[in-house]
Structures are given as C-alpha cells and as structure tokens.
Amino acid sequence: MSIPSSTSASTPAEPAKVTGAEIDASCRWPLLLLFATAALWLAGSALFSLLVAIKLHKADILADCPWLTLGRLRPAVNNAFLYGFATPVAMGITLWLLCRLGRVKLAFQWPMLIVCKLWNIGVFVGIWAILAGGSTGFEWLEMPRYASGILFVAFVLFGLCAVGTFSMRRAGELYPSQWFLLGAIFWMAWSYSAANYLLVFEPVRGTFQSVINAWFTGNLINLWLAPVALAAIYYFLPLQIGQPLYSRELAAFAFWTTLFLGSFAGLSSLVGAPVPRWIGSAGTAGYLCLLAPLIANAMNWHLTSKGNCSAWKHDLVLRFLATGAVAYLALGLLNLVLSVSRVSAVTSLTYAVVAKNYLAWYGFVAMVLLGCVYAIVPRLTQVAWPSEKLIRVHFTCSALGAALIVLALLAGGVIQGFNLANPSVAFLDVVRKTIPFIGISTLGILLFLIGQVVFLLHLGQVLRACLQPFAQAICAECCGAPLKAGGKS
Amino acid sequence: MNNGPLLFLGIFASVATSFWMLLFAPQVQIGRQQASVIELTGERYPAVRSGAASQGAEVYRSLGCVECHSQQVRQTGANFELWLAEPGTNRPVLAATLVRLNLASAVEADKLLEKAPVKLRSALGSIEARMLAAQLTNDDAKAEAVLATLGPDIQRGWGKRLTVTQDYLGDYPVQIGNLRVGPDLANYGARSPGAGVILAHLYAPQKTMPGSMMPPYRFLFTTRRINQGEKPTLPLDVAPGYDVVPSPEAESLAAYLGSLRAETPLPEAPVPAPPTKAAPATNAPAATPAP
C-alpha cells in the first residue's frame, strides 16, 4: 500500500511542511494501542454474541452460571462492541484524520496513551460489572456509574486532545471530514454525559427515562459513530479512487442536516411506547428528514467515484468502505420504514429491531471502521499487511455474516410481529416460529466471528513485525543479547 | 465553513436545539408528573411497592430480564359493547324491543333475558351504543354501553388497557423493554398464579410451561434433603427426598413479579367494566332502610 502525501483538499503553501510520515509516527503508539485493544474487544464481543444466539434457541446452555445468564450477556456483548470496539477505533480515526487534514503532528501523545489505558480500564470494569449484575438497566448505558465515570473522563481527555490538535492545524481550508469529526466529538461528550446524568446520577421520573434512553441510543449511532464513519468515507473515498471530492457544498448540506436532525431520529424507537405520541412522531419525522443528507451523501460519493466505479474490486480498503456506505444507505431506509407507525405496530418489540441494530453495527460502523484500520495501520507501522488473502477472508466473512444476521433477523422479526399481532397464535408458538431465523443468524454470527479472529491474528502479525526492532533494541540494551525471532514482543 | 469558531457555534446550536426540543419539552410535559389519588378508592396510584417487591425490582434489573420481557401493554383502539345488565320484570316488552331493534330473533330473545347480564352487541360506536342502551332501559330493566379496549396485547390477556406514563412513576429504572422473546409483564401480577408457581417457573420453566424458551434460574435456589413425609417448599418434582429452597433473591423477584399491575382505571386509560351479576344483589339490601 502506498503512503499518500496529501489529501484531495487543495491547501495553500505552508511555511514548515510536516510530512505524512512524520504525522503517522506521532500517532503511532496511541493509535496502535487503541486499534489492538479494539480488535480484541470485537472478537470477544462476537464470541459472546454467538453464545447469546445459541442461548436464544437453547435456553438451558450454561444456565447455572449467573454471570452468563442471557440478560447479562446481551448487554455485555452490546457494550463490548459499542464501547470496546467501535468508540476507541472511532477515536483513533478521529485523531489520525484531524492530524492528517490539519497537517500537524499529534501534540498530545502521552495524554492520549493515558486515555487509551483509562478507556480500556473503564470498559473492562463496566463489562465486569454488567456480568456481575451491576447493570443500570438502561439500553447501551448499562455500565454502572463508576465505569461510565471513567469512560467520560477518558472521552473528555480525548476530546481535548482532538480539539487541541484541530486548533493547531496549519491547513487553512477545512475539509468536510473535519466538520463531521468535530460535530461527533461534541455530540458524544454531550449526549453521554447528559444521558448518564439524567438516568443514573440524578434520575428523572417515569417514562421520561425511556425518552432520554432512546435519545441517547439514537445519538450514539447517528451523531457519534455515523459522523466519524462518514468523515472516514469522505476522506478515504477520494483518496483511494484518486479523484477529488465531487462537491463540498453537498457535503456541507449533509453535515448540517445530519447534525440538526440526527438527535430527533433516535426517538422513533418510542413509536407506540407509553410516552406522549408526539415523541415517537418526532423520531419518524427525523428519519424522514434524514433522507435528505442520505441522498446528498450518496450522490456525492457516486459522483466522486464516477468513471472509476470498479475500483473497489482490487482495492480492499475501498471494498470495506463501499460495503459500509451501502449499509449506511440501507440503514437510513430501514430506519425510516420501521419507524412508520403502521409498520412499527408490527415490527416493534420483535427481532426486526435487533436486525436494525446489527445493520448499523456490523454492516455500517464495523465495515467502515475496519476499512480505515486497514488503511491506517500500515502507515503507522510502516509494515504492509502480510497477506492480502487474509484481508479478503476477513471481508467476506464479515460482509456475508452481517448480511445473514440482518436478513434472518429481519425476516424472523416481521414474522414474529405478524404472529404477535394475531392473538389466535399462542405466544409459545410465536417464539417457536422465530427459532429457524435465530438459527440462520447464529450461522451469520459464527461467520462474523471467524472473520474477526482472522483479523485479530493478522493485526497481531503486523504488530509483532512493528515491535520486533524495538524489543530487540531494548533487549540488547538490557541483557546484551538479541531477542530470538518469533519471541514474545 | 473554514472558520473554526463559527463551526463550533453551529455545533453548539444543534446541541441546544436538541436539548430544548427533545429533553426540556418532555420534562415539562411528563417529567413532573406526580402519583395521583384515585377518587373512587382513595388510594395512591401508582402504589408504593412493598420492601420485598422493590428488592425484587433490583433483582429483575440485575438479571437483565428486560432483555426478553417488555413491560408495556399496547392498545390499538377502543369501541363500545351493548350489555343488558338486568332484564327487570316486564320481560315480554323487553323481548319485543330486542326483536324490534334486531338485537335478537324472536326465538332467542327469551333465552337471552335469562342469561343477563349478557353482551348483546360489540364493536359499536359510543353514540350508537348509548342510544340502543337508552331504548332498552325501562322502569327496572337496565342496559349499558360498556367500553371495550382493543388490540392483540389485550386479547392475549396481557392487560385490560394500555399502559400510560402514570403507570411507571414509581419505577426506577423504567424497563419498558424493546423485545418480546417472553410475554409482556406490565400486568403480570394481575394474572399471576401465585408466588409458589412463579418460583417453580423460575426454577424450571420448561416444567411449568412445556415449550417455554425461558432460561432456568436454578442459581437462585438451593437444594436440600428432606425426610420422607416432609412437604416440599415448591410444587416441583425434583428427585425424591430432595427439596428446592428459593433464595431471598428468588423470593423478592417473585414478590416483584406479583406486584406488577397496570389495571387501575385512569382518565387517560379507562378500563372496561362490564356489568356483573353480583353487584345488584349485594346493593339491594343496603338500599332498603331497616325497619
């Protein structure tokens, strides 16, 4: 993989030029630490979600261990994905993009290393607490206050590093990715702290809790993970294709509409719930309005890659990003359809909602973030990926697995919904009829897991190759003997 | 779009908009709702949970029951039913009215009167039902237009009415849930078969309900030996000579599940109240003054 020297955004001449390699070197250790631990969390999350899927059709398995009961395992798996994998990778990508686009070296390397450790400690404590029974009971905010406090402090430190790096930028013109990244940082800090404050620290009364919870889950996807993924697509798509971004104005339109409407959309999960009707309707209207940025983004990407549409066939990074982009478009449409009250009357409270989450996580977010990891890690380590075949295996397993999970759960959810709406079908039969679909989704999760294990091992190889010289140098200094090749590094 | 501070101001504006419209507005509307006193009974609603039940709510949260059980009854609408509450004494006239209003054939009319209180018609509009009821009501016969709540949840017996914000005021955390792998529990206490059966179901769901997908919560129980003739604590067929004893967590969870009720009539969520036979019989002696 070649190392690009500049982005497509035109920039005025700078007094002291920082090369891409210098920027990458400054980001190396914090980002590698973030990516490596995230890969571990991702594989762990996939492994345990396999167990969840198995438990959903064979309830007796490992039933005698309270730590592995279904009700604790499911939130643990979700949190491991969202906070263990997606958020740290998004943080790493944010830093790298802000450095690259601002033409500055990462100024806060030591604070960022502390952030990486603090964040991982927080996630570990939080998931441990969920498995031990300390869950708060709020979706995607299950971590108890002592864990979410650590995460918040770590995120604020990260935000200060990122905004500090941004403010030291040398490039005059801002690139669309930078808007998305800045918006995402502020939104995540705000919604995570506000939701935790209003739900856990100073709880509000009644179903207002559910409103805040829905607001937060929507924000976590629509205003933190999605904008970072969009920023990455806006950066890497023109870069990998070798053509400038089609329109900055379209991107600006997409940015502001996403920013202002994104938080409305999350409330659509309350259509039909015991809250005032307008709250669910505001969510549906939010998703309807989000069609505008969806179309703007799709047009922009399509016109940027025009004439070079087959690039994804040989460029593996682009293949991940393109799959993620397609999933992003599908997700926008699916969200809208599922939030229309007539459809929601059938599909809410069924596996269709789970399918929607998996499309957002595995289809959109994971695909884009993993594509970025494939693009960034060789630049950080100066080590190329050892095997293109392994990347292909990872891609195929992840994409096929995600597709299987989403389609199976969606079909199962719709059937479950129609059966639930028909009181002549006994409830036990409603559940029994979803089991074949759970079976197919289990297969999908297994495929996804295989992909992530391959990725983990592959990343391990790169890291070992990168760390070898350092380990040898340290060893030679201490004991005067060179480290054996293949030793623990 | 190249000005950092301006970009920051825009982002801040989006955050502020969201705060006022999506957090502050619901706070004003439902965030300050208080438990109310039901005029009919003089009781506070929602009632404060007993100590055991509120401990059980913690067990419910800790075990993540919300991952499979929702606590929200949904209602698709409401209409009215026409009920004949009392046939009175002048039955031939009433039977003729029934036939005239096409509510019964001449053959069935007398039999219907015997069965009172009986439902004559369902799926009526409010005005239609009241007009029919007025025509059937004479000196001592009584007909009523009775509200009927509709929807699959209600037909499944999960509740008599939809759940509304008022029902959740005493809950922390509110666990309305988002997936129904198990049945809805908002009104479980009203249909629950008693603590013993709940505990047996928690211990071995497939035994009390063959085909259930619920995982067994055996870790909430301990097993002990019992002498012959000693009565087991729970109605469970474990190995002979053994008894299953629920832990305090299991006991409180069962108390919590038994406390789940959402069937108090509220102005925004009325509960259907069809006439019953017992009511007039008990009222009659009280109405006549003692000699």
Side-chain angles (χ1 to χ4, degrees):
Chain A
M1 233 165 269
S2 65
I3 293 158
S5 55
S6 75
T7 69
S8 59
S10 57
T11 46
E14 298 144 30
K17 215 165 183 182
V18 188
T19 63
E22 280 178 314
I23 295 173
D24 293 338
S26 73
C27 291
R28 182 182 294 150
W29 301 120
L31 260 63
L32 283 181
L33 189 58
L34 281 174
F35 291 164
T37 49
L40 275 171
W41 281 115
L42 178 62
S45 167
L47 178 68
F48 282 101
S49 61
L50 186 68
L51 185 56
V52 168
I54 293 171
K55 275 169 166 274
L56 276 174
H57 46 105
K58 202 99 184 83
D60 243 346
I61 286 170
L62 294 176
D64 285 331
C65 176
W67 287 61
L68 294 179
T69 190
L70 185 62
R72 291 180 183 177
L73 213 48
R74 259 191 82 199
V77 161
N78 297 351
N79 278 273
F81 180 85
L82 290 168
Y83 301 107
F85 164 72
T87 300
V89 174
M91 294 197 309
I93 291 170
T94 301
L95 285 179
W96 190 79
L97 287 180
L98 285 178
C99 288
R100 271 298 183 107
L101 288 167
R103 310 279 162 83
V104 281
K105 290 198 264 187
L106 181 62
F108 309 94
Q109 291 179 31
W110 282 108
M112 264 319 289
L113 279 172
I114 294 170
V115 167
C116 303
K117 286 167 190 158
L118 206 57
W119 183 270
N120 277 298
I121 290 170
V123 175
F124 184 79
V125 170
I127 288 177
W128 185 274
I130 293 171
L131 292 176
S135 154
T136 60
F138 295 109
E139 196 186 7
W140 302 1
L141 284 170
E142 284 94 350
M143 292 191 187
R145 59 175 79 192
Y146 43 87
S148 57
I150 300 177
L151 290 194
F152 178 68
V153 169
F155 193 87
V156 167
L157 277 177
F158 151 78
L160 290 176
C161 293
V163 174
T165 306
F166 173 77
S167 67
M168 284 184 241
R169 70 192 180 278
R170 299 189 196 181
E173 192 176 46
L174 291 185
Y175 186 70
S177 297
Q178 285 165 300
W179 314 331
F180 279 103
L181 293 174
L182 274 190
I185 294 168
F186 280 109
W187 261 104
M188 176 62 182
W190 158 244
S191 51
Y192 192 70
S193 56
N196 263 305
Y197 182 77
L198 293 173
L199 291 178
V200 181
F201 289 83
E202 291 286 334
V204 296
R205 288 165 63 85
T207 44
F208 187 30
Q209 291 169 22
S210 311
V211 177
I212 292 168
N213 204 170
W215 175 80
F216 173 77
T217 52
N219 288 349
L220 188 60
I221 298 292
N222 294 326
L223 288 164
W224 162 238
L225 296 176
V228 173
L230 293 181
I233 295 177
Y234 270 108
Y235 180 83
F236 282 110
L237 188 74
L239 189 69
Q240 302 290 109
I241 282 188
Q243 288 175 159
L245 183 68
Y246 173 75
S247 165
R248 209 180 136 82
E249 285 70 29
L250 262 181
F253 171 76
F255 169 68
W256 288 114
T257 40
T258 306
L259 201 65
F260 275 88
L261 300 167
S263 71
F264 284 76
L267 298 181
S268 70
S269 62
L270 293 175
V271 175
V275 294
R277 280 266 177 123
W278 69 267
I279 292 176
S281 306
T284 312
Y287 272 125
L288 187 66
C289 296
L290 278 184
L291 279 185
L294 195 82
I295 294 167
N297 284 329
M299 268 173 65
N300 218 349
W301 299 335
H302 177 72
L303 292 170
T304 301
S305 56
K306 208 175 181 187
N308 206 355
C309 283
S310 54
W312 61 274
K313 280 182 187 158
H314 45 84
D315 187 332
L316 289 170
V317 170
L318 208 54
R319 194 180 285 193
F320 273 95
L321 294 182
T323 314
V326 170
Y328 163 74
L329 302 178
L331 178 67
L333 294 177
L334 184 66
N335 272 330
L336 175 61
V337 170
L338 290 187
S339 67
V340 172
S341 66
R342 285 205 178 166
V343 181
S344 162
V346 174
T347 56
S348 64
L349 308 175
T350 70
Y351 285 116
V353 180
V354 186
K356 187 183 79 176
N357 287 342
Y358 271 114
L359 182 59
W361 299 347
Y362 288 3
F364 170 41
V365 172
M367 277 295 167
V368 175
L369 297 185
L370 288 171
C372 295
V373 171
Y374 276 119
I376 296 174
V377 164
R379 291 170 181 153
L380 298 176
T381 55
Q382 301 293 332
V383 177
W385 289 98
S387 153
E388 194 170 294
K389 201 176 160 196
L390 287 182
I391 305 182
R392 280 176 196 279
V393 171
H394 180 207
F395 172 79
T396 313
C397 286
S398 306
L400 206 63
L404 265 183
I405 299 170
V406 172
L407 292 177
L409 288 179
L410 195 60
V414 170
I415 290 175
Q416 184 190 6
F418 277 116
N419 284 332
L420 268 176
N422 178 3
S424 61
V425 181
F427 185 76
L428 282 179
D429 290 328
V430 174
V431 182
R432 202 173 296 137
K433 283 176 184 169
T434 61
I435 289 177
F437 299 97
I438 301 294
I440 300 173
S441 80
T442 311
L443 207 66
I445 293 173
L446 183 65
L447 261 180
F448 190 83
L449 171 66
I450 293 170
Q452 304 326 310
V453 171
V454 167
F455 168 63
L456 187 64
L457 297 177
H458 205 183
L459 186 66
Q461 283 182 18
V462 173
L463 291 183
R464 181 180 284 183
C466 167
L467 293 171
Q468 201 78 51
F470 294 94
Q472 268 170 357
I474 291 168
C475 234
E477 217 167 275
C478 302
C479 6
L483 191 76
K484 269 187 212 155
K488 205 178 169 217
S489 46
Chain B
M1 292 283 294
N2 286 325
N3 192 331
L6 212 61
L7 182 67
F8 173 76
L9 271 182
I11 295 168
F12 183 77
S14 80
V15 169
T17 316
S18 169
F19 175 78
W20 287 108
M21 295 182 74
L22 304 178
L23 293 188
F24 191 73
Q27 159 68 16
V28 169
Q29 194 182 6
I30 57 172
R32 297 170 191 174
Q33 208 171 11
Q34 297 290 328
S36 55
V37 175
I38 306 292
E39 275 180 38
L40 211 63
T41 54
E43 279 168 7
R44 184 182 177 277
Y45 186 80
V48 180
R49 288 215 163 84
S50 73
S54 38
Q55 281 181 357
E58 293 293 297
V59 179
Y60 188 92
R61 168 191 61 72
S62 150
L63 288 175
C65 305
V66 69
E67 298 292 324
C68 292
H69 291 283
S70 61
Q71 283 187 16
Q72 46 179 317
V73 178
R74 294 181 174 190
Q75 184 180 322
T76 53
N79 57 24
F80 283 85
E81 292 169 347
L82 178 66
W83 280 73
L84 181 66
E86 277 176 65
T89 44
N90 201 351
R91 295 196 178 191
V93 174
L94 194 59
T97 320
L98 281 179
V99 175
R100 182 167 57 79
L101 293 173
N102 271 331
L103 292 168
S105 66
V107 190
E108 288 168 349
D110 286 328
K111 280 186 201 163
L112 263 181
L113 296 186
E114 291 301 318
K115 279 194 271 179
V118 65
K119 181 161 74 178
L120 298 173
R121 263 299 154 79
S122 52
L124 296 171
S126 150
I127 295 172
E128 203 182 356
R130 276 174 221 200
M131 279 172 67
L132 286 172
Q135 293 186 53
L136 286 174
T137 303
N138 55 34
D139 288 344
D140 53 357
K142 205 175 147 209
E144 283 176 31
V146 177
L147 176 89
T149 46
L150 305 174
D153 288 9
I154 287 155
Q155 280 175 282
R156 282 185 189 280
W158 287 345
K160 289 179 178 168
R161 60 160 172 87
L162 78 165
T163 49
V164 291
T165 51
Q166 180 87 33
D167 294 319
Y168 301 89
L169 287 179
D171 293 359
Y172 180 80
V174 171
Q175 309 234 292
I176 59 173
N178 54 15
L179 183 62
R180 279 177 177 167
V181 182
D184 190 90
L185 297 180
N187 202 29
Y188 182 72
R191 64 173 189 271
S192 104
V197 182
I198 297 180
L199 285 169
H201 189 63
L202 288 171
Y203 182 78
Q206 285 75 24
K207 264 189 190 161
T208 49
M209 190 176 286
S212 167
M213 296 299 295
M214 190 169 116
Y217 290 89
R218 289 188 287 261
F219 54 81
L220 294 177
F221 297 82
T222 48
T223 321
R224 65 168 184 138
R225 277 195 96 103
I226 44 169
N227 299 324
Q228 241 176 1
E230 210 178 324
K231 249 190 109 185
T233 325
L234 292 177
L236 273 170
D237 274 341
V238 279
Y242 282 90
D243 181 25
V244 172
V245 185
S247 65
E249 285 82 22
E251 298 266 16
S252 54
L253 182 58
Y256 169 70
L257 291 171
S259 79
L260 288 170
R261 264 161 222 274
E263 51 173 6
T264 303
L266 297 172
E268 66 271 36
V271 172
T276 51
K277 204 159 210 168
T282 49
N283 282 347
T288 48

